[in-house]
Amino acid sequence: LDPGNIGQPSDIYYYYDTVNHRFIVEYFRVEHWPNGNHETFEIILYDPGYHPTPTGDGEIIVQYLLAMHQSDNTLGIENYSETIGIQYYYDGTYHELAVPVTNSFALKYTTYPPEYVGIEDKPVSVLNLPKVYGLSNSYPNPCCDMAAINYQIPRKGEMSLRVYDISGRLADVLIDGVLEPGYHSLRLDTEGYASGVYFYRLIAGGKTFTRKMIVVK
């Protein structure tokens, strides 16, 4: 990729999103040398302190504005020593489980285990349980009529998840009771919420987590 090649406007931008705790790098119309095609995509790095994962590693989302025009691209990630990696596409060949990169395509790299969808009834392995409590930022944020909230519980126990408005008044009780350990996702219906700033609070295992959510109508 050659952002310095003259001819068409191109650049690389970066931005730290303090509200959603993520760092964004965008490659805008950067030329793929030497064939002259231009690439526009962005890489989003999530702060694991606010977006927890089972291993404590940060999630990565790569968003492609346009479909690929280069057959010799390489898509994936690898460690600094280039000894461990995830290969999605290489030199004209996709991974056997990958789907083609099209317009408005996104890839997410995460350490959350995939959902088991087989027909066998298998017990949950302790290796797949989270090691720490955690609460993610809601998505999308701001939201209109629905928001997704992810949280993780390492052991069975009492917990509560409640929503408060900007004045501190209780607006909604989402969970109040005993919960099994694991990775959980909740779809919050905000259609009845008024526009404004809200805070949702998770209390579990003697720990308290609070995140901000904005509702826009």
Side-chain angles (χ1 to χ4, degrees):
L1 294 173
D2 184 7
N5 196 17
I6 60 175
Q8 295 192 51
S10 67
D11 212 337
I12 300 174
Y13 303 91
Y14 63 90
Y15 170 68
Y16 179 55
D17 181 359
T18 57
V19 174
N20 295 301
H21 306 283
R22 56 185 185 171
F23 190 80
I24 304 171
V25 181
E26 179 178 309
Y27 291 74
F28 175 73
R29 292 192 56 80
V30 175
E31 182 177 336
H32 192 130
W33 184 88
N35 296 305
N37 291 320
H38 291 77
E39 311 276 3
T40 298
F41 63 95
E42 65 180 16
I43 304 168
I44 306 174
L45 308 173
Y46 286 86
D47 184 345
Y50 294 87
H51 303 271
T53 64
T55 60
D57 297 291
E59 293 182 316
I60 301 172
I61 291 181
V62 186
Q63 299 186 147
Y64 301 90
L65 179 63
L66 302 175
M68 285 194 301
H69 297 291
Q70 298 287 145
S71 63
D72 60 345
N73 274 348
T74 300
L75 305 183
I77 59 174
E78 63 184 10
N79 64 351
Y80 183 77
S81 61
E82 301 179 351
T83 57
I84 301 174
I86 298 174
Q87 181 175 295
Y88 190 86
Y89 177 92
Y90 174 71
D91 201 17
T93 302
Y94 282 97
H95 185 276
E96 61 180 1
L97 298 179
V99 295
V101 174
T102 57
N103 292 350
S104 302
F105 188 85
L107 286 175
K108 181 177 184 179
Y109 299 94
T110 182
T111 56
Y112 274 103
E115 293 288 337
Y116 181 74
V117 294
I119 59 174
E120 297 180 45
D121 185 13
K122 292 186 177 181
V124 177
S125 170
V126 295
L127 296 177
N128 290 331
L129 292 178
K131 297 179 175 59
V132 297
Y133 292 91
L135 176 66
S136 71
N137 287 309
S138 59
Y139 180 84
N141 193 14
C143 66
C144 178
D145 53 10
M146 190 280 296
I149 299 175
N150 297 320
Y151 56 97
Q152 57 189 55
I153 306 294
R155 60 186 62 88
K156 182 177 180 179
E158 292 277 350
M159 66 156 289
S160 70
L161 183 59
R162 304 186 178 199
V163 181
Y164 300 86
D165 63 19
I166 191 65
S167 67
R169 183 180 58 188
L170 179 65
D172 208 346
V173 178
L174 306 180
I175 301 174
D176 190 9
V178 177
L179 198 71
E180 296 292 331
Y183 303 98
H184 302 274
S185 183
L186 180 147
R187 294 173 62 89
L188 173 60
D189 182 1
T190 59
E191 188 172 354
Y193 285 41
S195 295
V197 177
Y198 295 84
F199 297 90
Y200 56 97
R201 179 173 300 158
L202 170 69
I203 300 178
K207 300 181 181 298
T208 301
F209 302 88
T210 303
R211 300 286 183 262
K212 182 169 69 174
M213 175 180 66
I214 301 174
V215 177
V216 178
K217 300 296 184 179

